[in-house]
Amino acid sequence: MTTTIPVAGGAFAPYEVVVGRGLLKAAGAEVAALKPSRAFIVSDETVAAIHGETVRASLAAAGLETGLATVPAGEASKSFEQLEAVLDRLLAEGLDRKSMVVALGGGVVGDLAGLAAALFMRGIDFVQIPTTLLAQVDSSVGGKTAIDTPRGKNLIGAFHQPRRVLADIEALATLPVRQVRSGWAEVLKHGLICDAAFFDWLGGEGAAGASGDPDALERAVIRSVEIKAQIVGEDEKEAGRRALLNLGHTFGHALEAELAFADTLTHGEAVALGCALAFRYSAQQGLCPAAEADRAEAGIRAAGLPTRLSDVDHRFAADALIARMAGDKKAEGGRLTLILARGVGEAFTDKDVDAEAVRAFLIGEGAAEA
Ligand SMILES: NC(=O)c1ccc[n+]([C@@H]2O[C@H](COP(=O)([O-])OP(=O)(O)OC[C@H]3O[C@@H](n4cnc5c(N)ncnc54)[C@H](O)[C@@H]3O)[C@@H](O)[C@H]2O)c1
Ligand SMILES: O=C(O)C(=O)C[C@@H](O)[C@H](O)[C@H](O)COP(=O)(O)O
Ligand SMILES: [Zn+2]
């Protein structure tokens, strides 16, 4: 059985996210229905070794001419170098404007292949086949594509919506537990933003999902995609409400950049810690009851995710983190923007954050002064 969630905005061509089992094997029929001239898979070396042949064979069985390009697994592949390599491969393969890029992998592959599709011949179609929990609940939906630079996370990119998303719960069976938890952080984030009952379910009956239980994972994926689809449908380019999906990310991206995107912290772990920081900062500023910050932290910690700077094997400097946060895409006219909360399920955007107050808060959290 599959669940189909529409992503309908008006600002872009609507598409559907299909969640279910056996979808890697069905990829050929799904992609062929979109009538591309051919389909070219972009994946990473790890995912290609595990799932590449299933998808390639399915595309070929559906009569599609196909091929496969891989990049090394990991965040470092969201780079100009790998973007150039993928684009060069698409050119060398002779893809045309009716060709379809098939992004098979986690958020790294989806962001990179999606950006390559946005740029190739000024934009060709792509399909997302997310194979990590994080990619199924978040990165495959909504059309944000990007690479990193040493100056910061996702600073070069484009909005380019996929034509279809195929989230196969069975693909998650091979995912290392650290990566399941990492995706769980973005699931928890959705509850923290706007669905307190979902957040409580994730820490109660649904908690088995954080250790890989497929039924709990499927429910978590479906609810997450429903939340994300509704928000991006209203606000594709983050003019307003979409910024809420960035809860935990202004802190989290600063932590990732300070660690030079090393796997000391995965993106999901950085978001988990960033969400805990955003809730504690909200409480410190009197915007949110301390008990709600404790509730958020307890839910995150129960899933085995970090909530304190001291959980990371690195001493962060407050000044460096503030400088990173000032370079965040949400900052306007030199003022920091943060997604804060009045309680679990009640996130809001503050566009006029006092950087000195955040600096003092970070020092209180254990960051070095400079
Ligand atoms: N575009 C968006 O809206 C959006 C949203 C959230 C995150 N992101 C981005 O997503 C990236 C993180 O994505 P991620 O957490 O999926 O990381 P990832 O893509 O690096 O995947 C994590 C690891 O899991 C491996 N893997 C993937 N699928 C597997 C499977 N089924 N079995 C075994 N191993 C598998 C990968 O090879 C990799 O080593 C970050 O760059 C983040 O910025 C983007
Ligand atoms: O889809 C969104 O919007 C998000 O903010 C989802 C985030 O989880 C994701 O990490 C996104 O890539 C961050 O976007 P950015 O604009 O801060 O780079
Ligand atoms: Zn994220």
Side-chain angles (χ1 to χ4, degrees):
M1 209 187 90
T2 58
T3 303
T4 300
I5 301 150
V7 189
F12 53 84
Y15 58 95
E16 291 176 335
V17 181
V18 187
V19 183
R21 308 190 190 198
L23 291 167
L24 295 185
K25 291 193 191 98
E30 292 276 352
V31 173
L34 299 169
K35 306 203 178 312
S37 59
R38 56 188 293 198
F40 192 81
I41 304 167
V42 178
S43 192
D44 74 31
E45 287 160 5
T46 304
V47 177
I50 305 172
H51 298 298
E53 181 50 25
T54 304
V55 174
R56 195 208 59 76
S58 175
L59 293 169
L64 289 165
E65 187 188 340
T66 188
L68 167 74
T70 59
V71 298
E75 185 73 25
S77 283
K78 276 178 59 171
S79 65
F80 278 114
E81 187 191 351
Q82 292 304 330
L83 177 65
E84 183 180 0
V86 170
L87 286 169
D88 187 56
R89 184 71 192 279
L90 302 185
L91 290 167
E93 292 281 336
L95 267 65
D96 62 28
R97 280 188 157 163
K98 296 289 175 203
S99 299
M100 179 81 69
V101 169
V102 176
L104 173 69
V108 164
V109 163
D111 281 14
L112 177 70
L115 181 56
L119 294 171
F120 185 80
M121 295 189 176
R122 301 201 183 96
I124 61 171
D125 285 346
F126 82 119
V127 166
Q128 290 267 19
I129 307 188
T131 63
T132 62
L133 177 61
L134 185 141
Q136 295 192 356
V137 300
D138 193 349
S139 62
S140 61
V141 184
K144 275 190 179 177
T145 73
I147 55 169
D148 309 325
T149 90
R151 293 183 188 279
K153 179 99 177 163
N154 295 341
L155 294 181
I156 308 295
F159 288 96
H160 189 53
Q161 301 291 337
R163 289 290 310 281
R164 200 160 180 81
V165 182
L166 306 175
D168 188 340
I169 300 299
E170 284 174 350
L172 304 180
T174 53
L175 201 57
V177 70
R178 184 181 180 197
Q179 296 300 339
V180 176
R181 286 193 188 131
S182 185
W184 200 251
E186 301 274 22
V187 177
L188 290 166
K189 177 196 78 176
H190 289 134
L192 290 171
I193 291 169
C194 62
D195 191 342
F198 180 48
F199 183 79
D200 289 339
W201 179 82
L202 293 167
E205 208 189 317
S211 339
D213 176 74
D215 293 333
L217 282 173
E218 187 162 0
R219 281 188 61 181
V221 172
I222 290 168
R223 183 64 194 130
S224 283
V225 173
E226 284 170 353
I227 290 170
K228 183 155 187 185
Q230 205 244 326
I231 292 176
V232 302
E234 280 172 29
D235 177 21
E236 181 192 20
K237 296 202 171 151
E238 204 174 292
R241 187 165 149 74
R242 183 168 183 164
L244 298 180
L245 296 173
N246 236 245
L247 175 66
H249 284 65
T250 315
F251 289 115
H253 281 173
L255 301 173
E256 286 185 81
E258 278 300 282
L259 293 167
F261 307 112
D263 78 349
T264 315
L265 264 191
T266 65
H267 175 70
E269 289 163 352
V271 168
L273 177 42
C275 285
L277 289 169
F279 265 80
R280 281 201 295 282
Y281 180 72
S282 302
Q284 196 210 53
Q285 295 297 302
L287 300 164
C288 156
E292 286 294 277
D294 291 345
R295 178 181 169 199
E297 177 170 15
I300 297 167
R301 239 191 148 69
L305 288 158
T307 58
R308 299 273 166 178
L309 292 180
S310 57
D311 292 331
V312 187
D313 187 17
H314 181 87
R315 184 91 198 273
F316 294 99
D319 285 346
L321 289 174
I322 293 291
R324 295 284 187 188
M325 291 167 79
D328 178 64
K329 294 186 289 308
K330 297 186 300 304
E332 284 175 16
R335 301 294 291 177
L336 288 186
T337 292
L338 276 182
I339 312 307
L340 300 176
R342 298 194 176 86
V344 169
E346 294 175 79
F348 68 96
T349 301
D350 184 345
K351 288 191 160 198
D352 195 18
V353 173
D354 178 359
E356 254 320 301
V358 179
R359 184 176 177 276
F361 166 76
L362 287 169
I363 292 166
E365 288 280 324
E369 296 204 13

